[in-house]
Amino acid sequence: GNGCNLASGSLAGRIAIVTRGDCPSTPQSQQIESANALAAVFVESGPALIPPFDAASAVPAVLLSASDGASLRSALQSSPT
C-alpha cells in the first residue's frame, strides 16, 4: 500500500511495507506510527534512493529499491509466514 490513509491501530503488531511517491514520506511515517506498526519498509517507486526517515517517528524504518521491494513482496505472497 501507500501508507497515506491508515486507520489508527490498524497495523498493530505488524510491519508496514509501503510504496513511496503517493504522499510525502513524513505523513507516511506519521500514519504508520499512528497505525501502531512495529516497523516500516519503504519501497522506492523510482530509481533514486532518497531517505524517507522522519526523525520524530518512533517507528524503525528501512528503504528498499523498487526491484528489491518487488522481490520482497513476491516472496511474501509465495510464503506469507
Side-chain angles (χ1 to χ4, degrees):
N2 64 16
C4 296
N5 297 302
L6 299 171
S8 180
S10 63
L11 294 175
R14 300 170 71 190
I15 297 173
I17 301 174
V18 296
T19 302
R20 294 203 42 213
D22 291 337
C23 61
S25 59
T26 299
Q28 282 178 314
S29 297
Q30 292 169 351
Q31 287 282 324
I32 291 165
E33 186 171 2
S34 72
N36 294 341
L38 294 175
V41 177
F42 287 94
V43 177
E44 194 60 74
S45 58
L49 289 175
I50 302 169
F53 307 111
D54 176 7
S57 177
V59 177
V62 297
L63 174 63
L64 296 181
S65 67
S67 62
D68 287 341
S71 295
L72 175 63
R73 286 184 168 128
S74 177
L76 289 172
Q77 288 175 349
S78 299
S79 178
T81 58

